[in-house]
Amino acid sequence: MARTNKTGIDYYPFDTGFFEDDKIQLIESEFGMKGGYIAIRLLCKIYKEGYFYPWDTDRCLLFTKAIGSSGVSKHTVDNVVNTLVKRDFFDKECFNKFRILTSRGIQRRYFEIIRRYKSVNVISEYLLVDISALKNVHIYSINDSINSENADINKQIKRKEKKRNNIPPLIPPLPGENAGEEKTWRNDFNRYLSELTEAYQSLLNDEKFIAGRQRYYPHVDIRLTLEKSYRDYWCTEEAWEKRKRSKTRKPDWRATLRNSINQKFNQVYLNKSGNNEQTAVHIIS
């Protein structure tokens, strides 16, 4: 089987004792069979995306629409999710801090399956299991870019002070001596991911930007289009290698992601009622 760069998985092992689990029995005691059904649909959605799924009002609406034929309301879905978190079906800290749905069990099964994948990018803050033995996983932090930028600012200040005071180095470097190459998005994949992720999250949280683009593209789900382009292409080494061939020293990552909305093959469309219908689209910059 060919190795792949995708993040989601096409199947996951289902425990035959799922409905006998106390957490699920308590959910079904409170919400009836719909509670168990919603839990299974959430697991399918998470594994299709990877090892976690962001959860907010928009995604709750889209998820409800996807299972709407079963007569489940948004209010019910939201209550079931909150109760699943309360019962530790999903990790409380990840939900409260990052607004994502995941758990140790989900991650354990996911990382066992993706061993055959060529490469997978994961966010360190979201991890609940030890994956140090996996050689095909790239771990990066959502805070790496901010810390790196602060370090760069401090270095610039020190250089300016040194130049102003005209203080020569105590020990001049020997001819040909290299003090070490500074990490940039061009020579370090994790730095590239950090800068890209910061721009991606900035766009998702920019309500004015989302509303403006939604006005220009009324039939396109702006957030899911951004997510599709970000996850399926820009987070891959293929995109990184291609971007490195450009002559730009400091790319505008927000503009890069904004442009993906304009490209039809990246767009995730809404149906006539204004809700998302799962679509399409793979990449290319």
Coordinates of all heavy atoms in Angstrom, one line a residue, residues 6-85:
K6 N -1.8 12.3 3.9 CA -3.1 12.9 4.5 C -3.1 12.7 6.0 O -2.3 11.9 6.6 CB -4.3 12.2 3.9 CG -4.5 10.7 4.3 CD -5.8 10.2 3.7 CE -6.0 8.7 4.2 NZ -7.3 8.2 3.6
T7 N -4.0 13.5 6.6 CA -4.1 13.5 8.1 C -5.2 12.5 8.6 O -5.0 11.8 9.6 CB -4.3 14.9 8.6 OG1 -3.3 15.8 8.1 CG2 -4.4 15.0 10.1
G8 N -6.3 12.6 8.0 CA -7.4 11.8 8.5 C -7.3 10.3 8.2 O -6.4 9.9 7.4
I9 N -8.1 9.5 8.8 CA -8.1 8.0 8.5 C -9.4 7.6 8.0 O -10.5 8.2 8.2 CB -7.7 7.2 9.8 CG1 -8.7 7.5 10.9 CG2 -6.3 7.5 10.2 CD1 -8.4 6.7 12.2
D10 N -9.4 6.5 7.2 CA -10.7 6.0 6.5 C -11.4 5.0 7.4 O -12.6 4.7 7.1 CB -10.3 5.3 5.2 CG -9.6 6.3 4.3 OD1 -10.1 7.5 4.2 OD2 -8.7 5.9 3.5
Y11 N -10.8 4.5 8.4 CA -11.5 3.6 9.3 C -10.9 3.6 10.7 O -9.8 4.1 10.9 CB -11.4 2.1 8.8 CG -10.1 1.5 8.9 CD1 -9.7 0.8 10.1 CD2 -9.1 1.8 8.0 CE1 -8.5 0.3 10.3 CE2 -7.8 1.3 8.2 CZ -7.5 0.5 9.3 OH -6.2 0.0 9.5
Y12 N -11.6 3.1 11.7 CA -11.0 3.0 13.0 C -11.7 1.8 13.7 O -12.8 1.4 13.4 CB -11.3 4.3 13.8 CG -12.7 4.5 14.3 CD1 -13.2 4.1 15.5 CD2 -13.6 5.2 13.4 CE1 -14.5 4.3 15.9 CE2 -14.9 5.4 13.8 CZ -15.3 5.0 15.1 OH -16.6 5.2 15.4
P13 N -11.0 1.1 14.6 CA -11.5 -0.1 15.3 C -12.6 0.3 16.2 O -12.5 1.3 17.0 CB -10.3 -0.6 16.0 CG -9.4 0.5 16.2 CD -9.6 1.4 15.0
F14 N -13.7 -0.4 16.2 CA -14.9 -0.1 17.0 C -15.1 -1.2 18.1 O -15.2 -2.4 17.7 CB -16.2 0.0 16.2 CG -17.4 0.5 16.9 CD1 -17.5 1.8 17.2 CD2 -18.3 -0.4 17.4 CE1 -18.7 2.3 17.9 CE2 -19.4 0.0 18.1 CZ -19.6 1.4 18.3
D15 N -15.0 -0.8 19.3 CA -15.1 -1.7 20.4 C -16.6 -2.3 20.5 O -17.5 -1.6 20.6 CB -14.8 -1.0 21.7 CG -14.7 -1.9 22.9 OD1 -15.0 -3.1 22.8 OD2 -14.2 -1.5 24.0
T16 N -16.7 -3.6 20.5 CA -18.0 -4.3 20.6 C -18.7 -4.0 21.9 O -19.9 -4.1 22.0 CB -17.9 -5.8 20.4 OG1 -17.0 -6.3 21.4 CG2 -17.4 -6.1 19.0
G17 N -17.9 -3.6 22.9 CA -18.5 -3.2 24.2 C -18.8 -1.7 24.4 O -19.0 -1.3 25.5
F18 N -18.9 -1.0 23.2 CA -19.0 0.4 23.3 C -20.3 0.8 24.0 O -20.3 1.7 24.9 CB -19.1 0.9 21.8 CG -19.4 2.4 21.7 CD1 -18.3 3.3 21.8 CD2 -20.6 2.9 21.5 CE1 -18.5 4.7 21.7 CE2 -20.9 4.3 21.4 CZ -19.8 5.2 21.5
F19 N -21.4 0.2 23.7 CA -22.7 0.6 24.4 C -22.8 0.1 25.8 O -23.7 0.5 26.5 CB -23.9 0.1 23.5 CG -24.0 0.8 22.2 CD1 -23.6 0.2 21.0 CD2 -24.5 2.1 22.1 CE1 -23.6 0.8 19.8 CE2 -24.6 2.7 20.9 CZ -24.1 2.1 19.7
E20 N -21.9 -0.8 26.2 CA -21.9 -1.2 27.6 C -21.0 -0.3 28.5 O -21.1 -0.5 29.7 CB -21.4 -2.7 27.7 CG -22.5 -3.7 27.4 CD -22.8 -3.7 25.9 OE1 -21.9 -3.8 25.1 OE2 -24.0 -3.6 25.6
D21 N -20.3 0.6 27.9 CA -19.4 1.5 28.7 C -20.3 2.4 29.5 O -21.4 2.9 29.1 CB -18.6 2.3 27.7 CG -17.6 3.2 28.4 OD1 -18.0 4.2 29.0 OD2 -16.4 2.9 28.4
D22 N -19.9 2.6 30.8 CA -20.7 3.4 31.7 C -21.0 4.8 31.2 O -22.1 5.4 31.3 CB -20.0 3.5 33.1 CG -20.1 2.2 33.8 OD1 -20.9 1.3 33.4 OD2 -19.3 2.1 34.8
K23 N -20.0 5.4 30.5 CA -20.2 6.8 30.0 C -21.3 6.8 28.9 O -22.1 7.8 29.0 CB -18.8 7.2 29.4 CG -17.7 7.3 30.4 CD -16.4 7.6 29.7 CE -15.2 7.5 30.7 NZ -13.9 7.6 30.0
I24 N -21.3 5.8 28.1 CA -22.3 5.8 27.0 C -23.7 5.5 27.6 O -24.7 6.0 27.2 CB -21.9 4.8 25.9 CG1 -20.6 5.3 25.2 CG2 -23.1 4.7 24.9 CD1 -20.7 6.7 24.6
Q25 N -23.7 4.6 28.6 CA -25.0 4.2 29.2 C -25.6 5.4 29.9 O -26.8 5.6 29.9 CB -24.8 3.0 30.2 CG -24.5 1.7 29.5 CD -24.8 0.5 30.3 OE1 -25.1 0.6 31.5 NE2 -24.6 -0.7 29.7
L26 N -24.7 6.2 30.6 CA -25.2 7.4 31.2 C -25.7 8.4 30.2 O -26.7 9.1 30.4 CB -24.1 8.0 32.1 CG -23.7 7.3 33.4 CD1 -22.5 7.8 34.0 CD2 -24.9 7.4 34.4
I27 N -25.0 8.6 29.1 CA -25.5 9.5 28.0 C -26.8 9.0 27.5 O -27.7 9.9 27.3 CB -24.4 9.5 26.9 CG1 -23.2 10.3 27.3 CG2 -25.0 10.1 25.6 CD1 -23.4 11.7 27.5
E28 N -27.0 7.7 27.2 CA -28.3 7.3 26.7 C -29.4 7.3 27.7 O -30.6 7.4 27.4 CB -28.1 5.8 26.1 CG -27.2 5.8 24.9 CD -27.3 4.5 24.1 OE1 -27.6 3.5 24.8 OE2 -27.1 4.5 22.9
S29 N -29.0 7.2 29.0 CA -30.0 7.4 30.0 C -30.6 8.8 30.1 O -31.7 9.0 30.4 CB -29.4 7.0 31.4 OG -29.0 5.7 31.5
E30 N -29.7 9.7 29.7 CA -30.1 11.2 29.7 C -30.7 11.6 28.4 O -31.7 12.4 28.4 CB -28.9 12.0 30.1 CG -29.2 13.5 30.3 CD -28.0 14.3 30.8 OE1 -27.0 13.6 31.2 OE2 -28.1 15.5 30.9
F31 N -30.2 11.1 27.3 CA -30.6 11.6 26.0 C -31.3 10.5 25.1 O -31.7 10.8 24.0 CB -29.4 12.2 25.2 CG -28.8 13.4 25.9 CD1 -27.7 13.2 26.7 CD2 -29.3 14.7 25.8 CE1 -27.1 14.3 27.3 CE2 -28.8 15.7 26.4 CZ -27.6 15.5 27.2
G32 N -31.4 9.3 25.6 CA -32.0 8.3 24.8 C -31.0 7.8 23.8 O -29.7 8.0 23.9
M33 N -31.4 7.0 22.8 CA -30.5 6.4 21.8 C -29.8 7.5 21.0 O -28.7 7.2 20.4 CB -31.3 5.5 20.9 CG -31.9 4.3 21.5 SD -32.8 3.2 20.4 CE -31.5 2.7 19.3
K34 N -30.4 8.7 20.9 CA -29.7 9.8 20.2 C -28.4 10.1 20.8 O -27.4 10.5 20.1 CB -30.6 11.0 20.2 CG -31.9 10.9 19.4 CD -32.7 12.2 19.4 CE -33.9 12.1 18.6 NZ -34.7 13.3 18.6
G35 N -28.2 10.0 22.1 CA -27.0 10.3 22.7 C -25.8 9.4 22.2 O -24.7 9.8 21.9
G36 N -26.1 8.1 22.2 CA -25.1 7.1 21.6 C -24.8 7.3 20.2 O -23.7 7.2 19.7
Y37 N -25.9 7.6 19.4 CA -25.7 7.9 18.0 C -24.8 9.1 17.7 O -23.9 9.1 16.9 CB -27.1 8.1 17.4 CG -27.1 8.5 15.9 CD1 -26.7 7.6 14.9 CD2 -27.5 9.8 15.5 CE1 -26.6 8.0 13.6 CE2 -27.4 10.2 14.2 CZ -27.0 9.3 13.2 OH -27.0 9.7 11.9
I38 N -25.1 10.2 18.5 CA -24.3 11.4 18.3 C -22.8 11.1 18.7 O -21.9 11.6 18.0 CB -24.8 12.5 19.2 CG1 -26.2 13.0 18.6 CG2 -23.9 13.7 19.3 CD1 -26.9 14.0 19.5
A39 N -22.6 10.3 19.7 CA -21.2 10.0 20.2 C -20.5 9.3 19.0 O -19.3 9.6 18.7 CB -21.2 9.2 21.4
I40 N -21.1 8.3 18.4 CA -20.5 7.6 17.3 C -20.2 8.5 16.1 O -19.1 8.5 15.5 CB -21.4 6.4 16.8 CG1 -21.5 5.4 18.0 CG2 -20.9 5.8 15.6 CD1 -22.4 4.2 17.7
R41 N -21.2 9.4 15.8 CA -21.0 10.3 14.6 C -19.8 11.3 14.9 O -19.1 11.6 14.0 CB -22.3 11.1 14.4 CG -23.4 10.2 13.7 CD -23.0 9.7 12.4 NE -22.8 10.8 11.4 CZ -23.7 11.2 10.5 NH1 -24.8 10.5 10.4 NH2 -23.4 12.1 9.6
L42 N -19.7 11.7 16.2 CA -18.6 12.5 16.5 C -17.2 11.8 16.4 O -16.3 12.4 15.9 CB -18.7 13.0 18.0 CG -19.8 14.1 18.2 CD1 -20.0 14.3 19.7 CD2 -19.4 15.4 17.6
L43 N -17.2 10.6 16.8 CA -15.9 9.8 16.6 C -15.6 9.7 15.1 O -14.4 9.8 14.8 CB -16.1 8.4 17.2 CG -16.1 8.3 18.7 CD1 -16.4 6.9 19.2 CD2 -14.8 8.8 19.4
C44 N -16.6 9.4 14.3 CA -16.3 9.3 12.9 C -15.8 10.6 12.3 O -14.9 10.7 11.5 CB -17.6 8.9 12.1 SG -18.2 7.2 12.4
K45 N -16.4 11.7 12.8 CA -15.9 13.1 12.3 C -14.5 13.3 12.7 O -13.7 13.9 12.0 CB -16.9 14.1 12.8 CG -16.6 15.5 12.3 CD -16.7 15.6 10.8 CE -16.5 17.0 10.3 NZ -16.5 17.1 8.9
I46 N -14.2 13.0 14.0 CA -12.8 13.3 14.5 C -11.8 12.5 13.7 O -10.8 13.0 13.3 CB -12.8 12.9 16.0 CG1 -13.6 13.9 16.8 CG2 -11.3 12.9 16.5 CD1 -13.8 13.5 18.3
Y47 N -12.1 11.2 13.5 CA -11.1 10.3 12.8 C -11.0 10.7 11.4 O -9.9 10.6 10.8 CB -11.5 8.9 13.0 CG -11.1 8.3 14.3 CD1 -12.1 7.7 15.1 CD2 -9.8 8.3 14.8 CE1 -11.8 7.1 16.3 CE2 -9.5 7.7 16.0 CZ -10.6 7.1 16.8 OH -10.3 6.6 18.0
K48 N -12.0 11.2 10.8 CA -12.0 11.6 9.4 C -11.0 12.8 9.3 O -10.4 13.0 8.2 CB -13.3 12.0 8.9 CG -13.4 12.3 7.4 CD -14.8 12.5 6.9 CE -14.8 12.7 5.4 NZ -16.2 12.8 4.9
E49 N -11.0 13.7 10.3 CA -10.2 14.9 10.3 C -8.8 14.6 10.8 O -7.8 15.2 10.4 CB -10.8 16.0 11.2 CG -12.1 16.5 10.7 CD -12.1 17.2 9.4 OE1 -11.0 17.9 9.1 OE2 -13.0 17.1 8.6
G50 N -8.6 13.6 11.7 CA -7.3 13.3 12.3 C -7.5 12.7 13.7 O -8.2 11.7 13.9
Y51 N -6.9 13.4 14.7 CA -6.9 12.9 16.1 C -7.7 13.9 17.0 O -7.8 13.7 18.2 CB -5.5 12.7 16.6 CG -4.7 13.9 16.6 CD1 -4.5 14.7 17.8 CD2 -4.0 14.4 15.5 CE1 -3.7 15.8 17.8 CE2 -3.2 15.5 15.5 CZ -3.0 16.2 16.7 OH -2.2 17.3 16.7
F52 N -8.2 15.0 16.4 CA -9.0 16.0 17.1 C -10.0 16.7 16.2 O -9.8 16.6 14.9 CB -8.2 17.0 17.9 CG -7.5 18.0 17.0 CD1 -8.1 19.2 16.7 CD2 -6.3 17.7 16.4 CE1 -7.5 20.1 15.9 CE2 -5.6 18.7 15.6 CZ -6.3 19.9 15.3
Y53 N -11.0 17.3 16.7 CA -11.9 18.1 15.9 C -12.2 19.4 16.7 O -12.7 19.4 17.8 CB -13.2 17.4 15.6 CG -14.1 18.1 14.6 CD1 -13.7 18.4 13.3 CD2 -15.4 18.5 15.0 CE1 -14.5 19.1 12.5 CE2 -16.2 19.2 14.2 CZ -15.8 19.5 12.9 OH -16.6 20.2 12.0
P54 N -12.0 20.6 16.1 CA -12.3 21.8 16.7 C -13.8 21.9 16.9 O -14.6 21.5 16.0 CB -11.8 22.9 15.7 CG -10.8 22.2 14.8 CD -11.3 20.8 14.8
W55 N -14.3 22.5 18.0 CA -15.7 22.6 18.3 C -16.1 24.1 18.6 O -15.6 24.7 19.6 CB -16.1 21.7 19.4 CG -17.5 21.5 19.6 CD1 -18.4 22.0 20.5 CD2 -18.4 20.7 18.7 NE1 -19.7 21.6 20.3 CE2 -19.7 20.9 19.2 CE3 -18.2 20.0 17.6 CZ2 -20.8 20.2 18.6 CZ3 -19.3 19.4 16.9 CH2 -20.5 19.5 17.5
D56 N -17.0 24.6 17.8 CA -17.5 25.9 18.1 C -19.0 26.0 17.6 O -19.5 24.9 17.1 CB -16.7 27.0 17.5 CG -16.5 26.8 16.0 OD1 -17.3 26.1 15.3 OD2 -15.4 27.3 15.4
T57 N -19.6 27.1 17.6 CA -21.0 27.3 17.2 C -21.2 26.8 15.7 O -22.1 26.1 15.4 CB -21.5 28.7 17.4 OG1 -21.3 29.0 18.8 CG2 -22.9 28.8 17.0
D58 N -20.3 27.3 14.9 CA -20.5 27.0 13.4 C -20.3 25.5 13.2 O -21.1 24.9 12.4 CB -19.4 27.7 12.6 CG -19.7 29.2 12.5 OD1 -20.8 29.6 12.9 OD2 -18.8 30.0 12.1
R59 N -19.4 24.9 13.8 CA -19.2 23.4 13.6 C -20.3 22.6 14.2 O -20.7 21.6 13.7 CB -17.8 23.0 14.1 CG -16.7 23.5 13.2 CD -15.3 23.0 13.8 NE -14.2 23.3 12.9 CZ -13.6 24.5 12.8 NH1 -14.0 25.4 13.6 NH2 -12.7 24.7 11.9
C60 N -20.9 23.1 15.3 CA -22.0 22.5 15.9 C -23.2 22.5 14.9 O -23.9 21.5 14.7 CB -22.4 23.1 17.2 SG -23.8 22.4 18.0
L61 N -23.4 23.6 14.3 CA -24.5 23.8 13.3 C -24.3 22.9 12.1 O -25.2 22.2 11.6 CB -24.6 25.2 12.8 CG -25.2 26.3 13.7 CD1 -25.0 27.7 13.2 CD2 -26.7 26.0 13.9
L62 N -23.0 22.8 11.6 CA -22.7 22.0 10.5 C -22.9 20.5 10.8 O -23.4 19.7 10.0 CB -21.3 22.2 10.0 CG -21.1 23.6 9.3 CD1 -19.6 23.9 9.1 CD2 -21.9 23.8 8.1
F63 N -22.4 20.1 12.0 CA -22.5 18.7 12.4 C -24.0 18.3 12.5 O -24.4 17.2 12.1 CB -21.8 18.5 13.7 CG -21.9 17.1 14.3 CD1 -21.0 16.2 13.8 CD2 -22.8 16.8 15.2 CE1 -21.0 14.9 14.3 CE2 -22.9 15.5 15.7 CZ -22.0 14.5 15.3
T64 N -24.8 19.2 13.1 CA -26.3 19.0 13.3 C -26.9 18.8 11.9 O -27.8 17.9 11.7 CB -26.9 20.1 14.0 OG1 -26.3 20.3 15.3 CG2 -28.4 19.8 14.3
K65 N -26.5 19.6 11.0 CA -27.1 19.5 9.6 C -26.7 18.2 9.0 O -27.5 17.6 8.3 CB -26.5 20.7 8.7 CG -26.8 20.6 7.3 CD -28.3 20.6 7.0 CE -28.6 20.7 5.5 NZ -28.2 19.4 4.8
A66 N -25.5 17.7 9.2 CA -25.0 16.5 8.6 C -25.8 15.3 9.1 O -26.0 14.3 8.4 CB -23.5 16.3 8.9
I67 N -26.3 15.4 10.4 CA -27.1 14.2 10.9 C -28.6 14.6 11.1 O -29.3 14.0 11.8 CB -26.5 13.8 12.3 CG1 -26.7 14.9 13.3 CG2 -25.1 13.3 12.1 CD1 -26.3 14.4 14.7
G68 N -29.0 15.7 10.4 CA -30.3 16.3 10.6 C -31.4 15.3 10.2 O -32.6 15.5 10.8
S69 N -31.2 14.4 9.3 CA -32.3 13.5 9.0 C -32.8 12.6 10.1 O -33.8 12.0 10.1 CB -31.8 12.6 7.8 OG -30.7 11.8 8.2
S70 N -31.9 12.6 11.2 CA -32.3 11.8 12.4 C -33.2 12.6 13.3 O -33.6 12.0 14.4 CB -31.1 11.2 13.1 OG -30.3 12.3 13.5
G71 N -33.5 13.8 13.0 CA -34.3 14.6 13.9 C -33.6 15.2 15.1 O -34.3 15.5 16.1
V72 N -32.3 15.3 15.0 CA -31.6 15.8 16.2 C -31.4 17.3 16.0 O -31.0 17.8 14.9 CB -30.2 15.1 16.2 CG1 -29.3 15.7 17.4 CG2 -30.3 13.6 16.4
S73 N -31.6 18.0 17.1 CA -31.5 19.5 17.1 C -30.1 19.9 17.5 O -29.4 19.2 18.1 CB -32.5 20.1 18.0 OG -32.2 19.8 19.3
K74 N -29.8 21.2 17.1 CA -28.5 21.8 17.6 C -28.4 21.8 19.1 O -27.3 21.5 19.7 CB -28.3 23.2 17.0 CG -27.1 23.9 17.5 CD -27.1 25.4 17.1 CE -25.9 26.1 17.7 NZ -26.0 26.2 19.2
H75 N -29.5 22.1 19.7 CA -29.5 22.2 21.2 C -29.1 20.8 21.8 O -28.4 20.7 22.8 CB -30.9 22.6 21.7 CG -31.0 22.7 23.2 ND1 -30.4 23.7 23.9 CD2 -31.7 21.9 24.0 CE1 -30.7 23.5 25.2 NE2 -31.5 22.4 25.3
T76 N -29.7 19.8 21.2 CA -29.4 18.4 21.7 C -27.9 18.0 21.5 O -27.3 17.5 22.4 CB -30.3 17.4 21.0 OG1 -31.7 17.7 21.3 CG2 -30.0 16.0 21.5
V77 N -27.4 18.3 20.3 CA -26.0 18.0 20.0 C -25.1 18.8 21.0 O -24.2 18.2 21.5 CB -25.7 18.5 18.5 CG1 -24.2 18.4 18.3 CG2 -26.4 17.6 17.5
D78 N -25.4 20.0 21.2 CA -24.5 20.8 22.1 C -24.6 20.3 23.5 O -23.5 20.2 24.2 CB -25.0 22.3 22.1 CG -23.9 23.3 22.3 OD1 -22.7 22.9 22.0 OD2 -24.1 24.3 22.8
N79 N -25.7 19.9 24.0 CA -25.9 19.3 25.3 C -25.2 17.9 25.4 O -24.5 17.6 26.4 CB -27.3 19.1 25.7 CG -28.0 20.5 26.0 OD1 -27.3 21.4 26.4 ND2 -29.3 20.5 25.9
V80 N -25.3 17.1 24.4 CA -24.6 15.8 24.4 C -23.1 16.0 24.4 O -22.4 15.3 25.2 CB -25.0 15.0 23.1 CG1 -24.1 13.8 23.0 CG2 -26.5 14.6 23.2
V81 N -22.6 16.9 23.6 CA -21.1 17.2 23.6 C -20.6 17.6 25.0 O -19.6 17.1 25.5 CB -20.7 18.3 22.6 CG1 -19.3 18.7 22.8 CG2 -20.9 17.7 21.2
N82 N -21.3 18.6 25.6 CA -21.0 19.1 26.9 C -21.0 18.0 28.0 O -20.2 17.9 28.9 CB -21.9 20.2 27.3 CG -21.6 21.5 26.6 OD1 -20.5 21.7 26.1 ND2 -22.6 22.3 26.3
T83 N -22.0 17.1 27.8 CA -22.1 16.0 28.8 C -21.0 14.9 28.5 O -20.5 14.4 29.5 CB -23.5 15.3 28.7 OG1 -24.5 16.3 28.9 CG2 -23.7 14.2 29.7
L84 N -20.7 14.7 27.3 CA -19.5 13.8 27.0 C -18.2 14.3 27.5 O -17.4 13.5 28.0 CB -19.4 13.6 25.4 CG -20.5 12.7 24.8 CD1 -20.4 12.9 23.3 CD2 -20.4 11.3 25.2
V85 N -18.1 15.6 27.5 CA -16.9 16.2 28.1 C -16.9 16.0 29.6 O -15.9 15.7 30.3 CB -16.8 17.7 27.7 CG1 -15.6 18.4 28.5 CG2 -16.5 17.9 26.2

